[in-house]
Amino acid sequence: MATSPTHDSLANAIRFLAVDAVEKANSGHPGLPMGAADLATVLFRDVLKFDAADPHWPDRDRFVLSAGHGSMLLYALLYLTGTGGADGLTLDDLKAFRQVGSRTPGHPEYGHTPGVETTTGPLGQGIATAVGMALAERMLAAHFPSVVDHRTYVLASDGDLMEGLSHEAIAIAGHYRLSRLIVFWDNNDVSIDGKVSVLNDNVDQVARFQAAGWNASHVDGRDAAAILSAVRAAQASDRPTLIACRTTIGFGLPTREGTSKAHGEAAGAAEIEGARKNLNWPYPPFEIPADVLSAWREVGARGAPDHEAWRKRLAELDPARRAEFERRVGGELPAGLDGVIDAYKRELADKAPTIATRKAGEAALAVIAPAVPELVTGSADLTPSNNTKVAATKEITPDDFSGRYIHWGIREHGMAAACNGMAVHGGFIPSGASFLCFTDYARPALRLAALMKIRVVHVFTHDSIGLGEDGPTHQPVEQIASLRAMPNMYLWRPADSVETVECWQAALERAHSPSILALTRQNLPALRKTHVAENLCARGAYEIAPAEGEAAVSIFASGSEVSLAIAAQQILKGKGVAARVVSVPCMDAFFDQPEDYRRSVIGGARVKVGVEAAVRFGWDAIIGDGPFVGMSGFGESGPYKAVYEFFGITPEAVAEAAEARLGA
Amino acid sequence: MATSPTHDSLANAIRFLAVDAVEKANSGHPGLPMGAADLATVLFRDVLKFDAADPHWPDRDRFVLSAGHGSMLLYALLYLTGTGGADGLTLDDLKAFRQVGSRTPGHPEYGHTPGVETTTGPLGQGIATAVGMALAERMLAAHFPSVVDHRTYVLASDGDLMEGLSHEAIAIAGHYRLSRLIVFWDNNDVSIDGKVSVLNDNVDQVARFQAAGWNASHVDGRDAAAILSAVRAAQASDRPTLIACRTTIGFGLPTREGTSKAHGEAAGAAEIEGARKNLNWPYPPFEIPADVLSAWREVGARGAPDHEAWRKRLAELDPARRAEFERRVGGELPAGLDGVIDAYKRELADKAPTIATRKAGEAALAVIAPAVPELVTGSADLTPSNNTKVAATKEITPDDFSGRYIHWGIREHGMAAACNGMAVHGGFIPSGASFLCFTDYARPALRLAALMKIRVVHVFTHDSIGLGEDGPTHQPVEQIASLRAMPNMYLWRPADSVETVECWQAALERAHSPSILALTRQNLPALRKTHVAENLCARGAYEIAPAEGEAAVSIFASGSEVSLAIAAQQILKGKGVAARVVSVPCMDAFFDQPEDYRRSVIGGARVKVGVEAAVRFGWDAIIGDGPFVGMSGFGESGPYKAVYEFFGITPEAVAEAAEARLGA
């Protein structure tokens, strides 16, 4: 009987698939897979709970390659273990690495390749997303303990740990004592600019993680036994763990090993030939010996019994709870939500409250959260300002994960990335909150949510100069435009209470897009005083106040400026000018509509005016060269009414702009 | 003879100016000034080198209130010390706190209030900007040691230290061993959401800073002697220092002291009355006893002899070196720059190189950097990709600050914030570099540069899907639009070598705006083969390829798509359609032009087509409802030519779009 392949053979299979694929593409990163193949082998062979036949098994351990540039490490592992079965990566997929349309793009992409848990590449995102996965595991386990019991493993690079995002992420994980989170640091001492010492000779990462409440230790990243023993210790800990693995970038490459040349370019035939000799791997490119492949496939099948036992535990759940678990993990909204929202809209139409939309958002959440148990809210230390905490969303604490409100701390980026992690983990619709201006801090994670097509619904309040006294550092003027410019990101800016709940509903219904609700600090009058069953906001724009007779003027506005537009309409009416007002709660959704809808909403009035307390950028697509009343620079500190006056964003100014153009 | 006022009286003067101003505005943050008044008193009275009569003295110590929400602490200090003399803040200014048009806006604004060293408020920015100031001090001292010898002090809050940016900042400071940087942490244990323990019970800040190579110690923030002794130890250290000051937020307020209620709202008459009793301060609002004011004014005058001695040292400099120092600190460009650039443009017009604009940028820098000694370049660990290192820009190291190239590490945000700090410090034109997609990581600091009206010229390469294989995580599609949307930020996207150097020149000439140069990874043909002395790019857009006869079509493009537009023009010509091509290297600068220039460049052709390998958002302002050839979603991993083909961004597609619209 043949002996089973050695550890080195298993690791070399990863190494050479990686260098050969990079070589074929003449593009990519051989250095990390060569250096980290040993620890990846230990992790997949001896540690990770997974069943390659079903990469969607909800109770699998998650593996996040935070250093996404080392994508060939992951693709090699997915191929070798047979992840995804018939849908899994083939050798041909590996040969198509970094080609248009392939399943092996330059960086791992969620939803694109079976077994890829999250999109990585922008550094720091993987580790921060993994924090959200680990949090989701604890929170889901608090409600479904018999079927949720797994860990999250991360492979992070120097770059991941240099990014500020890593600080936010490890602080959150340390605070919540996420002991099921285990991070391997690929400590190879090499950076693109040279030795890491050129730019980071000072940071003691082990001490740094310990200062954040983590366990942390050093191991030799070539020593399989030492790695495994460090993992076992980490699994037994009551804290998250960093395992600093000393590795050699480009391990085996004759001249590039241990240098920045090994990092991000094809190694070339001579280097690869030399590595084949050095590492005793005499096989041609893309050829894996049958015994090695078979050993790897056994690794892939290793979790099948666990998976089967889990299926039994799932089957033993009370049918209603099982259905609820499956609904939540499947990402379906509760059946009763529409009825709850309709009843609430009827109530609002009668009450017609004058209220800030942040308060309207709180009231909407008080209705939605009880009906949507998977909705998790929170705030980046602005709970009393964002108004995202309601009775149904009890706080989680390090000792009790049964709640669903998260105090993220002043960590907008860490919050947004962790929300992404909760969404890709499954079982939750996460929602963070801060001031709209500070979307800038979270933008790389917001972008990844859009790219991954995941449902995350953030609440960003204080959405314009209308926040007043805090002044230009806190007043968004360009953020609305910059978020509208982001593909697949939906920015909702409701004008009153009814629009607020409609925007919440529309955002929740978009299973494949993240949304941002931009809400005001200042009070706004009720505009929607007649109940309409249809969600008018969902189509992005609609006529909220028709003209009497044929409109000479159309006024387009969003959020707090819709009431101002309606006041302008009244002024114009007094002067005999018929104007209509279109509310544009979501320009992104509006541009998705069929052309006939867009045309009918934009209408044929001679003059089209836009009004928004923000920059004009992007509005031309609706108003053409019509006048725009808004901001052309940064804001000003002062009581909000005075600030609106100062910048001339008033009903009078809108009416005048329309009249001037009519007369032109 | 009267005894001099006690420490408590001096500190109380700050406290009550702060609470009274917040009370009058009914808006603001009394908690920090009440808690941190003691340490601020020690710092200004006993430590800070400054001369209130001249807040622009180049060799003053810098004080950065990173916790910008505590602005009244700073405004009180500026008033009490008489900073700015006749131009300084008055009691009336303090009474106008947070009012439109006042000199005392909600958060401190650089360039708006004498003595404010940098705009703060968005958390983490102050400490990271201060790192740049401390770096600038060392770098300027390396060349002008007799007149540059000062320190940078920071007051940072819990929020500053939670933000990821702080991690990048302290890592940079630790790496370069910026021993003249001393940070006070206002350790008050209170956050908006409650006790800090609710969201950060785990991070040991002192251990964290030590892990980054800092000194760090704890002191009682009420104990003036202990604070002073900690500062003296810090001044003697060879490392940057964190002094963790245990303080009480809202110190003296009867019921709010030590609670989150003290943080961010007017305390109310009863609380303030109680505080007056508790702190033995019987004076009415805004009244400072004469002896206290006089003692503070003496503090303000304390540095005058130092300043005078400095003036003498400056006068003793060799006249040419003195003139050079004054030119650099005054922010004037060298007189010879235009000639150097003109000669280089002539050379380029002859050579007509086919070259990536990132390489063209390197070549331009090789010409510009020797002529502009204050220009500092660097990269966030992408030196071989960004091409911003040239012979004239020697690297700085922790032991030698005489160079002017900075290895920032993978810290885009820390880089951008530190560049802001170098710019506001004076003596430098800083320039960072990374991939354009990762402007997202740096956005809050980019925004502050725009708000502060400072000259920072970043180089962001790999500016579109044209980067190819790295795929959608690295391919900017919306970043160009989102940066154009930012007020006072100039995004330059040159089309060839000549445009690249023109864009560099135009960016350098904008003394009051930051710029971003967006450069390609892929090669581009030379387009500007005839020398034109005028900087055509400076006006933002110009006709680069006229039509033969009257144009039926105008094609507008930027950067890598200009050559593609010209190829489309040729296709159309072959079909008998006269088209002109307009290069739009900087939409921001173009929109600044007088209307007649804009009209003449946009022209009257029947069809206006836009082409840019990015989203359409914003282009309507130029092309109206004309066709646009570009991106409508995220990119794709593959060789760049295949990616352009995949998305249909080709000369043929542009020509077809124009023809289709002509025929419509």
Side-chain angles (χ1 to χ4, degrees):
Chain A
M1 192 175 148
T3 56
S4 24
T6 61
H7 168 88
D8 284 350
S9 297
L10 295 177
N12 283 338
I14 299 171
R15 287 191 176 97
F16 287 94
L17 285 175
V19 284
D20 290 336
V22 170
E23 196 64 15
K24 184 160 194 314
N26 193 25
S27 173
H29 298 75
L32 183 141
M34 298 289 276
D38 293 305
L39 70 90
T41 299
V42 173
L43 180 64
F44 274 69
R45 183 189 56 200
D46 304 326
V47 177
L48 209 65
K49 176 169 85 170
F50 75 113
D51 178 2
D54 180 8
H56 300 291
W57 174 22
D59 200 32
R60 69 194 181 279
D61 286 345
R62 267 59 166 183
F63 170 64
V64 174
L65 180 67
S66 193
H69 54 271
S71 55
M72 267 312 306
L73 175 90
L74 181 55
Y75 297 146
L77 285 161
L78 295 176
Y79 164 69
L80 290 167
T81 55
T83 296
D87 292 332
L89 292 182
T90 64
L91 272 182
D92 283 341
D93 288 320
L94 301 191
K95 291 176 188 168
F97 180 53
R98 292 188 155 225
Q99 303 308 304
V100 170
S102 83
R103 300 206 294 170
T104 48
H107 294 82
E109 293 181 26
Y110 174 79
H112 188 80
T113 312
V116 170
E117 301 283 7
T118 184
T119 298
T120 51
L123 290 168
Q125 296 297 330
I127 186 172
T129 304
V131 169
M133 295 177 182
L135 202 47
E137 191 272 346
R138 285 294 79 195
M139 291 170 68
L140 201 58
H143 295 280
F144 301 97
S146 70
V147 288
V148 182
D149 180 16
H150 55 267
R151 292 191 164 80
T152 303
Y153 296 89
V154 178
L155 177 53
S157 61
D158 284 304
D160 288 301
L161 303 192
M162 280 189 229
E163 288 288 355
L165 175 55
S166 69
H167 170 58
E168 302 182 18
I170 72 173
I172 294 166
H175 174 71
Y176 284 111
R177 300 202 286 275
L178 299 177
S179 59
R180 282 146 178 276
L181 176 64
I182 298 174
V183 175
F184 298 92
W185 168 34
D186 180 33
N187 178 16
N188 63 27
D189 209 26
V190 169
S191 192
I192 291 176
D193 279 4
K195 286 279 175 195
V196 165
S197 58
V198 168
L199 40 85
N200 199 26
D201 67 348
N202 51 308
V203 177
D204 178 339
Q205 297 288 6
V206 164
R208 174 193 169 205
F209 275 73
Q210 286 167 340
W214 287 52
N215 288 302
S217 62
H218 285 285
V219 303
D220 174 353
R222 282 275 295 141
D223 182 339
I227 295 165
L228 186 56
S229 135
V231 171
R232 296 300 177 217
Q235 290 174 336
S237 167
D238 64 346
R239 304 281 164 150
T241 293
L242 174 78
I243 303 175
C245 302
R246 170 61 68 181
T247 61
T248 302
I249 193 169
F251 179 76
L253 296 172
T255 72
R256 295 189 170 190
E257 172 185 290
T259 75
S260 55
K261 284 293 279 179
H263 168 75
E265 54 189 298
E271 284 287 306
I272 297 176
E273 192 51 41
R276 285 192 146 78
K277 285 194 186 114
N278 289 343
L279 300 182
N280 193 22
W281 187 261
Y283 314 105
F286 298 105
E287 185 177 312
I288 305 297
D291 64 328
V292 174
L293 184 60
S294 155
W296 267 117
R297 292 288 155 101
E298 281 170 32
V299 168
R302 182 174 53 77
D306 270 353
H307 191 178
E308 189 48 36
W310 177 86
R311 281 199 192 91
K312 278 188 191 139
R313 292 198 300 280
L314 183 67
E316 284 160 7
L317 278 181
D318 169 87
R321 285 183 48 70
R322 176 181 175 160
E324 177 65 1
F325 178 80
E326 289 176 336
R327 181 190 70 75
R328 287 184 55 169
V329 166
E332 271 181 56
L333 289 175
L337 179 61
D338 288 349
V340 166
I341 287 178
D342 190 65
Y344 177 63
K345 278 172 62 179
R346 276 178 202 283
E347 195 184 307
L348 283 176
D350 290 344
K351 272 199 206 159
T354 290
I355 191 173
T357 48
R358 63 176 170 148
K359 297 290 292 180
E362 183 178 13
L365 270 178
V367 168
I368 292 169
V372 185
E374 63 269 37
L375 180 62
V376 174
T377 65
S379 170
D381 198 41
L382 288 168
T383 298
S385 298
N386 299 142
N387 304 90
T388 45
K389 169 92 183 67
V390 295
T393 58
K394 187 180 70 164
E395 303 168 309
I396 63 164
T397 72
D399 302 311
D400 179 0
F401 289 95
S402 66
R404 49 186 173 118
Y405 188 85
I406 302 178
H407 291 287
W408 293 106
I410 301 157
R411 305 175 181 117
E412 301 82 4
H413 201 177
M415 170 179 76
C419 283
N420 291 351
M422 299 184 77
V424 296
H425 177 278
F428 294 101
I429 301 175
S431 169
S434 180
F435 289 165
L436 185 62
C437 208
F438 303 143
T439 50
D440 281 356
Y441 277 85
R443 203 168 160 93
L446 298 175
R447 184 180 206 254
L448 272 190
L451 181 55
M452 291 198 282
K453 304 189 178 80
I454 57 176
R455 177 167 47 193
V456 179
V457 184
H458 292 298
V459 175
F460 286 104
T461 67
H462 296 59
D463 72 345
S464 76
I465 54 165
L467 65 83
E469 290 88 346
D470 273 344
T473 54
H474 287 54
Q475 291 166 352
V477 296
E478 78 280 25
Q479 280 76 8
I480 291 174
S482 76
L483 291 162
R484 284 177 182 151
M486 187 183 284
N488 197 37
M489 171 60 76
Y490 289 76
L491 186 286
W492 306 87
R493 192 164 184 258
D496 75 352
S497 283
V498 173
E499 282 204 0
T500 301
V501 71
E502 285 190 348
C503 289
W504 252 113
Q505 182 179 34
L508 289 170
E509 285 174 351
R510 291 193 169 264
H512 301 295
S513 302
S515 286
I516 287 173
L517 275 77
L519 306 180
T520 67
R521 176 178 187 241
Q522 76 273 27
N523 278 345
L524 302 178
L527 302 175
R528 296 271 302 275
K529 299 179 198 170
T530 307
H531 179 67
V532 180
E534 188 191 347
N535 184 333
L536 297 176
C537 290
R539 301 190 80 172
Y542 66 99
E543 187 176 88
I544 191 168
E548 290 179 13
E550 195 182 342
V553 174
S554 284
I555 312 175
F556 300 84
S558 83
S560 39
E561 286 68 66
V562 178
S563 50
L564 192 153
I566 291 174
Q569 179 190 37
Q570 293 308 309
I571 294 172
L572 288 168
K573 185 181 166 189
K575 299 183 171 188
V577 177
R580 60 195 275 274
V581 176
V582 174
S583 178
V584 188
C586 186
M587 210 183 270
D588 310 286
F590 181 58
F591 293 153
D592 288 345
Q593 298 304 310
E595 193 179 347
D596 59 345
Y597 183 78
R598 280 182 285 131
R599 277 182 193 275
S600 78
V601 170
I602 291 176
R606 252 178 67 209
V607 170
K608 295 194 274 275
V609 187
V611 50
E612 187 168 66
V615 297
R616 179 183 181 124
F617 205 81
W619 271 97
D620 299 59
I622 292 177
I623 61 171
D625 64 355
F628 179 77
V629 176
M631 300 292 291
S632 58
F634 293 107
E636 181 82 10
S637 170
Y640 82 89
K641 288 179 183 169
V643 177
Y644 268 84
E645 285 287 336
F646 180 81
F647 289 109
I649 305 176
T650 61
E652 293 73 22
V654 173
E656 276 166 32
E659 280 190 293
R661 188 61 65 97
L662 273 175
Chain B
M1 192 175 148
T3 56
S4 22
T6 61
H7 168 88
D8 283 351
S9 296
L10 295 177
N12 282 339
I14 300 172
R15 287 190 176 98
F16 286 95
L17 285 175
V19 284
D20 290 336
V22 170
E23 195 64 16
K24 183 158 192 314
N26 194 25
S27 174
H29 298 76
L32 182 141
M34 299 288 275
D38 293 305
L39 70 90
T41 298
V42 172
L43 180 64
F44 275 69
R45 184 188 57 200
D46 303 326
V47 177
L48 209 64
K49 176 170 82 169
F50 75 114
D51 177 3
D54 181 7
H56 299 291
W57 174 22
D59 200 31
R60 70 194 181 278
D61 286 345
R62 267 59 168 184
F63 171 64
V64 174
L65 181 68
S66 192
H69 54 271
S71 55
M72 268 311 306
L73 175 90
L74 181 55
Y75 298 146
L77 285 161
L78 295 176
Y79 164 69
L80 289 168
T81 55
T83 296
D87 292 332
L89 292 182
T90 64
L91 272 182
D92 282 343
D93 288 322
L94 302 190
K95 289 176 186 165
F97 180 54
R98 294 188 156 225
Q99 303 307 304
V100 169
S102 82
R103 299 206 295 170
T104 48
H107 293 81
E109 293 181 26
Y110 173 79
H112 187 79
T113 311
V116 170
E117 301 283 6
T118 184
T119 298
T120 52
L123 290 169
Q125 297 296 332
I127 185 170
T129 304
V131 168
M133 295 177 182
L135 202 47
E137 191 272 346
R138 286 294 78 196
M139 291 170 68
L140 201 58
H143 295 280
F144 301 95
S146 69
V147 289
V148 182
D149 179 16
H150 54 267
R151 291 192 164 81
T152 303
Y153 296 89
V154 178
L155 177 54
S157 62
D158 283 304
D160 288 301
L161 303 192
M162 281 190 227
E163 288 289 355
L165 175 55
S166 68
H167 170 58
E168 301 183 18
I170 72 172
I172 294 166
H175 174 70
Y176 286 110
R177 299 203 287 275
L178 300 177
S179 60
R180 281 144 178 278
L181 176 64
I182 299 175
V183 175
F184 298 93
W185 168 34
D186 181 33
N187 178 16
N188 62 28
D189 209 27
V190 168
S191 191
I192 291 176
D193 279 5
K195 287 279 173 195
V196 165
S197 59
V198 167
L199 40 86
N200 200 25
D201 68 349
N202 52 306
V203 177
D204 178 339
Q205 297 288 5
V206 165
R208 174 194 169 205
F209 275 73
Q210 287 167 341
W214 287 50
N215 289 304
S217 63
H218 284 286
V219 303
D220 175 353
R222 281 275 294 140
D223 183 340
I227 295 165
L228 186 56
S229 131
V231 172
R232 295 300 177 216
Q235 289 174 335
S237 167
D238 64 347
R239 305 280 165 151
T241 294
L242 174 78
I243 303 174
C245 302
R246 170 61 68 181
T247 61
T248 303
I249 194 168
F251 179 75
L253 296 172
T255 72
R256 294 188 170 190
E257 172 185 289
T259 75
S260 55
K261 284 293 277 180
H263 167 75
E265 54 189 298
E271 284 287 307
I272 297 176
E273 193 51 40
R276 285 192 147 77
K277 286 199 184 110
N278 289 343
L279 300 181
N280 193 23
W281 188 260
Y283 315 104
F286 297 106
E287 183 178 313
I288 305 297
D291 63 329
V292 174
L293 184 59
S294 157
W296 267 117
R297 291 287 153 101
E298 281 170 33
V299 168
R302 184 173 53 76
D306 271 353
H307 192 179
E308 189 49 37
W310 178 85
R311 282 199 192 93
K312 279 189 192 139
R313 293 197 301 279
L314 183 66
E316 285 160 8
L317 278 181
D318 170 86
R321 284 183 50 68
R322 178 183 173 157
E324 177 65 2
F325 178 79
E326 288 176 338
R327 181 190 71 75
R328 285 183 56 169
V329 166
E332 271 181 56
L333 289 175
L337 179 61
D338 288 350
V340 166
I341 288 177
D342 190 64
Y344 178 61
K345 279 171 62 179
R346 276 178 203 283
E347 193 185 309
L348 284 176
D350 290 346
K351 271 197 205 159
T354 290
I355 192 174
T357 49
R358 62 174 171 149
K359 297 291 290 180
E362 182 177 14
L365 270 178
V367 168
I368 293 169
V372 185
E374 63 268 38
L375 180 62
V376 174
T377 65
S379 169
D381 198 41
L382 288 168
T383 298
S385 298
N386 298 143
N387 303 90
T388 45
K389 171 93 184 64
V390 294
T393 58
K394 190 181 70 164
E395 299 168 313
I396 63 163
T397 72
D399 302 311
D400 179 1
F401 288 96
S402 66
R404 50 187 173 119
Y405 187 85
I406 302 177
H407 291 288
W408 292 106
I410 302 157
R411 304 173 181 118
E412 301 82 4
H413 201 177
M415 171 179 75
C419 284
N420 291 351
M422 299 184 76
V424 296
H425 177 278
F428 294 100
I429 300 175
S431 168
S434 181
F435 288 165
L436 185 62
C437 207
F438 302 144
T439 50
D440 282 356
Y441 277 85
R443 201 168 162 92
L446 298 175
R447 183 180 206 255
L448 272 190
L451 181 56
M452 291 199 281
K453 304 190 178 77
I454 58 176
R455 177 167 46 192
V456 179
V457 184
H458 293 298
V459 175
F460 286 105
T461 67
H462 294 59
D463 72 345
S464 77
I465 55 166
L467 65 84
E469 290 88 345
D470 274 344
T473 54
H474 287 54
Q475 292 167 351
V477 296
E478 78 280 25
Q479 280 76 7
I480 292 174
S482 76
L483 290 162
R484 286 177 181 151
M486 187 182 284
N488 197 36
M489 171 60 76
Y490 289 77
L491 186 285
W492 306 88
R493 192 165 184 256
D496 75 352
S497 284
V498 173
E499 282 204 359
T500 301
V501 70
E502 286 190 347
C503 288
W504 252 114
Q505 183 180 32
L508 289 171
E509 285 174 351
R510 291 194 167 263
H512 301 294
S513 302
S515 286
I516 287 173
L517 275 78
L519 305 179
T520 66
R521 175 177 187 242
Q522 75 274 25
N523 278 346
L524 302 179
L527 302 175
R528 295 271 301 275
K529 299 180 198 168
T530 308
H531 178 66
V532 180
E534 187 191 347
N535 185 330
L536 297 176
C537 290
R539 302 191 81 171
Y542 65 99
E543 187 177 87
I544 191 168
E548 292 179 12
E550 195 182 346
V553 173
S554 285
I555 311 175
F556 300 84
S558 83
S560 40
E561 285 69 66
V562 179
S563 49
L564 193 152
I566 291 174
Q569 179 190 36
Q570 294 307 310
I571 295 173
L572 288 167
K573 186 182 164 189
K575 298 184 171 186
V577 176
R580 60 193 277 273
V581 176
V582 174
S583 177
V584 189
C586 185
M587 208 184 271
D588 310 287
F590 181 59
F591 292 155
D592 288 346
Q593 300 303 311
E595 194 178 347
D596 59 345
Y597 183 80
R598 279 183 285 131
R599 277 182 192 274
S600 76
V601 171
I602 292 175
R606 252 177 69 207
V607 170
K608 295 194 276 277
V609 187
V611 51
E612 186 168 66
V615 297
R616 178 183 182 123
F617 205 81
W619 271 97
D620 299 58
I622 292 177
I623 61 171
D625 66 354
F628 179 78
V629 175
M631 300 292 291
S632 59
F634 294 108
E636 181 80 12
S637 170
Y640 83 89
K641 287 179 184 170
V643 177
Y644 268 84
E645 285 287 336
F646 180 82
F647 288 110
I649 305 177
T650 61
E652 294 73 22
V654 173
E656 276 167 34
E659 282 190 293
R661 188 61 64 96
L662 273 175

